[in-house]
Amino acid sequence: MTFLPLMMSDKPDGTEGDASILTKTKTKTQRPPLYKVMLLNDDYTPMEFVVHVLERFFGLNHAQAFEIMLTVHKKGLAVVGVFSFEVAETKVAQVMDFARRHQHPLQCTMEKE
């Protein structure tokens, strides 16, 4: 915090008076922490379904979605995006709900960046 002194020595009527100091507080705002949303590989969820999830919930085009799906398939997981806590939490819930409704064991998680 920085304190900036403001001197006031003249009264409104123009006569001299006691000097008083006013302080102004400057606050510094911090960016909220970000969270990585990740998809995990499994042996049962079809690749086409994963591509569809990436396009639908993360706004990726087909080529981007296909590339991330291959990363998940080959490496076991991939970061799909980085979001604020609320957005990441919503994306994870949407993906998990969608996968369960389509009877796929796809896992989607989030962790602090």
Side-chain angles (χ1 to χ4, degrees):
M1 280 188 220
T2 306
F3 293 100
L4 304 172
L6 301 173
M7 301 297 288
M8 297 183 67
S9 59
D10 293 315
K11 290 184 180 178
D13 62 2
T15 60
E16 291 291 320
D18 292 335
S20 59
I21 298 175
L22 300 176
T23 58
K24 192 176 193 178
T25 305
K26 255 185 157 177
T27 57
K28 202 173 195 179
T29 57
Q30 288 185 335
R31 289 182 163 264
L34 296 176
Y35 292 79
K36 298 185 288 190
V37 174
M38 299 168 293
L39 285 181
L40 284 67
N41 189 41
D42 64 72
D43 294 332
Y44 304 101
T45 305
M47 292 179 174
E48 298 82 22
F49 184 80
V50 175
V51 170
H52 178 70
V53 164
L54 292 167
E55 291 171 342
R56 179 173 179 166
F57 296 105
F58 297 95
L60 301 175
N61 65 38
H62 188 75
Q64 293 168 320
F66 191 81
E67 190 174 321
I68 290 176
M69 176 276 298
L70 284 179
T71 302
V72 171
H73 181 68
K74 291 176 183 176
K75 296 189 177 184
L77 69 93
V79 175
V80 182
V82 180
F83 308 97
S84 68
F85 178 81
E86 292 80 9
V87 173
E89 187 177 50
T90 300
K91 299 254 184 217
V92 168
Q94 288 173 330
V95 169
M96 294 295 290
D97 181 57
F98 190 71
R100 297 301 159 263
R101 283 190 282 126
H102 288 87
Q103 299 177 344
H104 294 299
L106 181 66
Q107 292 292 308
C108 185
T109 63
M110 62 186 264
E111 70 179 38
K112 201 170 192 177
E113 189 177 43

